[in-house]
Amino acid sequence: LPEHERWYTRLDGDDELDIWLISWVPDRSTELHDHGGSIGALTVVSGALTETRWDGEALRRRSLSAGSQAAFPLGWVHDVVRAPGPVIGPTLSVHAYSPPLTAMSYYEVTERNTLRRTRTELTDGPEGT
């Protein structure tokens, strides 16, 4: 696996579901984003991730270690990064989206502590890669 670039491959997919294997590298953020009209879930396979999500009022962080799972319903806005610290071997996660991703919107937190959409992109790849 590349050590300085995120890498991903589709494991399975059809008109209703896409499943992706994603690698994570240090200092590479997905940016605050949503998943358009898709719901999703992830499982950390190895290493650890930090998820920063918008709870409607503020940003909240949580750590996800190997074996951890997380779901994201419609409207979920989050950023995902490889957790800091030494990691032996790759950091990998499996993500499922239903329906398959077609668009993602990206956001910033304003000075008034609200979200502002900065752009929307059509995509057929996972997690802001």
Side-chain angles (χ1 to χ4, degrees):
L1 297 174
E3 293 183 22
H4 302 290
E5 288 185 43
R6 290 186 54 215
W7 172 90
Y8 61 92
T9 188
R10 179 189 268 163
L11 298 175
D12 197 11
D14 57 29
D15 290 341
E16 295 182 22
L17 178 69
D18 264 345
I19 302 173
W20 297 87
L21 176 65
I22 303 174
S23 74
W24 299 85
V25 296
D27 303 319
R28 180 73 191 273
S29 166
T30 61
E31 300 179 61
L32 279 174
H33 67 278
D34 67 23
H35 301 99
S38 300
I39 61 171
L42 70 85
T43 299
V44 180
V45 177
S46 61
L49 300 174
T50 300
E51 178 191 42
T52 303
R53 68 177 175 87
W54 180 254
D55 73 359
E57 297 178 5
L59 293 172
R60 305 281 183 219
R61 284 188 177 76
R62 67 175 165 173
S63 297
L64 302 166
S65 57
S68 295
Q69 298 178 332
F72 25 96
L74 286 177
W76 193 263
V77 174
H78 71 164
D79 182 13
V80 180
V81 297
R82 179 173 148 172
V87 176
I88 298 173
T91 297
L92 299 170
S93 58
V94 173
H95 296 236
Y97 303 97
S98 181
L101 288 175
T102 57
M104 293 172 63
S105 292
Y106 294 85
Y107 299 85
E108 66 183 12
V109 179
T110 70
E111 291 177 6
R112 289 196 251 165
N113 208 35
T114 61
L115 281 186
R116 175 185 297 134
R117 184 174 38 212
T118 58
R119 70 187 188 282
T120 298
E121 296 179 2
L122 298 178
T123 186
D124 60 359
E127 287 303 305
T129 57

